[in-house]
Amino acid sequence: MDEKNKYSNITLEEVKKNSIVNVFVRSANDYLGTLGYTEHGVRHVGLVASIAENVLLYLDYPKRIQELAGIAGYIHDIGNVVNRQDHGQSAALLAMRLLKDIGMTPEEIALIISAIGNHEEQSGDPVNPIAAALILADKSDVHKTRVRNRDISKYDIHDRVNFAVERSFLKVIKEKKIISLQLTIDTQISKVMEYFEIFMSRMLMCRRAASFLNCTFELIINERKLL
């Protein structure tokens, strides 16, 4: 297959409008809510799609690779409709069939499913630029709006840390080759140490992802650089 035919014209907007994708995103989020997890619905996957696309935009990757990162971001969590355990691998297999059915090329499908299958910190690695951007986008979404539980007295550490985060922004500083996760945390709700307690493995994964993109990863909390 020549270089031109490696790429399709399937857009992120088409994927967002796909009825099966919509049901899987909604159902996966509902199931995780039943289990007590934070929000993983349209808000989360839409934001991850946008951030992943923008990371590669600011690093001057080709437009089509940017869009593939957005598509990967939007469907990266549909595996939760099967089970939370190994949901990255489940999502990759579901995505393979979905993307094939809507006419995406095998080359593009391979890029997307490898990214999706590598977004979990337990077993994932930044195997291509799309995977690296997806990791950074997914792990940077920590925010109070993700907490479903309205009773603060019943918060576990994940609820408490997320609820304490008032601002989360992933900034690409192209000229310095830095990818910076900037958080504002209300330390009256959760101490900064609690963030590290549950998210250190994610931050290390972000460091590997940034390195793959020839950048340095930094973590800034309440205007103090901690990584």
Side-chain angles (χ1 to χ4, degrees), residues 84-97:
R84 179 62 179 172
Q85 186 71 30
D86 298 323
H87 71 276
Q89 283 70 32
S90 299
L93 293 173
L94 291 171
M96 179 173 64
R97 176 61 183 270

Side-chain angles (χ1 to χ4, degrees), residues 162-190:
N162 274 278
F163 193 72
V165 178
E166 298 175 341
R167 177 181 178 270
S168 174
F169 182 68
L170 188 71
K171 183 177 183 179
V172 178
I173 308 170
K174 176 184 171 182
E175 61 277 11
K176 295 183 178 180
K177 290 287 188 178
I178 292 173
I179 297 177
S180 176
L181 176 56
Q182 302 176 2
L183 304 176
T184 301
I185 293 180
D186 183 342
T187 56
Q188 296 299 309
I189 298 173
S190 177

Side-chain angles (χ1 to χ4, degrees), residues 47 49-63 65-67 69 129 133 136-137 169-180 213-215:
L47 183 62
S50 178
I51 294 172
E53 197 166 355
N54 281 333
V55 166
L56 298 186
L57 166 67
Y58 290 123
L59 293 176
D60 293 329
Y61 278 83
K63 179 66 178 176
I65 298 301
Q66 297 170 28
E67 183 144 43
L136 288 159
F169 182 68
L170 188 71
K171 183 177 183 179
V172 178
I173 308 170
K174 176 184 171 182
E175 61 277 11
K176 295 183 178 180
K177 290 287 188 178
I178 292 173
I179 297 177
S180 176
L213 297 172
N214 297 313
C215 293

Side-chain angles (χ1 to χ4, degrees), residues 32 37-55 69-70 72-78 80 84 87-88 91 115-125 129-143 146 162 168-170 179 181 183 195 198-199 201-203 205-206 209 213 217:
L32 290 180
Y37 285 90
T38 53
E39 180 268 335
H40 284 71
V42 172
R43 176 213 158 275
H44 172 65
V45 299
L47 183 62
V48 170
S50 178
I51 294 172
E53 197 166 355
N54 281 333
V55 166
Y74 199 80
I75 59 177
H76 77 282
D77 268 343
I78 59 173
N80 285 300
R84 179 62 179 172
H87 71 276
I116 292 173
N118 276 282
H119 84 270
E120 294 182 79
E121 61 265 28
Q122 295 87 351
S123 58
D125 283 294
I130 295 169
L134 174 57
I135 288 166
L136 288 159
D138 184 41
K139 306 315 173 192
S140 66
D141 186 21
V142 185
H143 195 265
R146 297 195 69 185
N162 274 278
S168 174
F169 182 68
L170 188 71
I179 297 177
L181 176 56
L183 304 176
Y195 178 88
I198 62 173
F199 288 140
S201 61
R202 298 184 188 185
M203 295 302 95
M205 193 181 196
C206 284
L213 297 172
F217 177 75

